[in-house]
Amino acid sequence: MEREIGSFFIEGYNFDTKTYDNKENTLLLVIDLQEKLMPAIYESEKIIKNSKTLLKVFEMYGIKKIATEQYPKGLGQSVSEIKENLYDEYIFSKTSFDAITDEVSSYLKENKITNVVITGAETHICVYQTVRRLLFEGYKVFVVEDAVSSFNEKQKLLGLKAISDMGASLVNTEMLMFDLASDAKDENFKEISKMVKNLRK
């Protein structure tokens, strides 16, 4: 008897080949990891490190990735770890807390994105409002719990609870990395294994 299981962050998982077939429908969205904001964020070094790692891993698997910046004139540009892994044309400025601006919305539609993986700040403000918008518009949303944060742990946890209650899936950095690799025979597994060891330090 077949039974339906929950959402995959990439559609079309093939249990025979242990690979994902529709990577082109998935996007990594990094929200507002900016120079002047990060010093005020709880565990900022960790979320920057994890976001940077995911940017690299998604690049390895040919998965699209973009970032946003909240009022960069005041909060500065994205931190160097993000800018080093994204071309400027894929970094969108905004003033709204919801990161799905007209530009970002057009990008999602033009690229036929159905699944959005989110990292960034702040969990209870911009991440929360972005998730709400995406869910309302019918996207599947996956929030990387160890790659999002707020100005303190309490606000982060409150944001994650609200996000989960709305229907988004909570994942973490290692889950995504190993799910993409799926098998120790994967061509990227050795590199991913090194990345994981680095994250665990």
Side-chain angles (χ1 to χ4, degrees), residues 9-186:
F9 79 99
I10 297 177
E11 294 176 351
Y13 186 77
N14 186 321
F15 282 96
D16 293 323
T17 63
K18 296 181 181 177
T19 58
Y20 284 101
D21 298 327
N22 297 315
K23 296 183 180 72
E24 65 272 14
N25 295 326
T26 295
L27 173 85
L28 175 63
L29 170 59
V30 179
I31 299 176
D32 305 350
L33 295 186
Q34 293 165 253
E35 298 163 330
K36 295 181 181 179
L37 178 61
M38 287 302 97
I41 298 298
Y42 172 70
E43 294 186 328
S44 61
E45 290 184 7
K46 177 181 177 181
I47 67 167
I48 291 171
K49 187 176 184 179
N50 288 342
S51 294
K52 174 185 175 181
T53 299
L54 287 175
L55 283 169
K56 289 183 174 181
V57 172
F58 275 51
E59 178 69 27
M60 288 161 57
Y61 286 97
I63 303 171
K64 295 178 180 64
K65 51 200 176 132
I66 64 173
T68 61
E69 294 174 345
Q70 176 70 24
Y71 187 57
K73 184 177 180 180
L75 293 176
Q77 296 184 333
S78 297
V79 294
S80 60
E81 292 89 341
I82 303 306
K83 290 183 69 66
E84 288 167 4
N85 290 281
L86 268 180
Y87 292 114
D88 288 344
E89 64 188 286
Y90 297 118
I91 300 177
F92 301 89
S93 63
K94 64 185 181 70
T95 56
S96 61
F97 301 129
D98 170 5
I100 310 304
T101 62
D102 290 343
E103 278 187 302
V104 172
S105 180
S106 293
Y107 183 89
L108 297 179
K109 291 172 182 174
E110 288 168 7
N111 289 279
K112 299 180 180 178
I113 300 300
T114 57
N115 303 329
V116 182
V117 179
I118 292 177
T119 76
E122 292 188 53
T123 313
H124 67 299
I125 304 174
C126 293
V127 174
Y128 165 75
Q129 291 189 31
T130 302
V131 170
R132 182 176 61 190
R133 168 77 172 274
L134 287 168
L135 290 172
F136 179 77
E137 294 189 359
Y139 291 90
K140 294 178 182 176
V141 183
F142 301 80
V143 175
V144 189
E145 60 85 19
D146 60 350
V148 297
S149 194
S150 297
F151 71 92
N152 63 35
E153 184 179 19
K154 182 178 179 181
Q155 293 286 31
K156 171 181 175 172
L157 294 176
L158 177 64
L160 286 175
K161 183 180 186 309
I163 284 165
S164 179
D165 288 347
M166 285 192 298
S169 298
L170 299 184
V171 293
N172 71 23
T173 303
E174 283 194 26
M175 284 175 66
L176 297 179
M177 294 168 72
F178 281 108
D179 201 20
L180 277 170
S182 188
D183 193 306
K185 294 178 182 177
D186 182 89

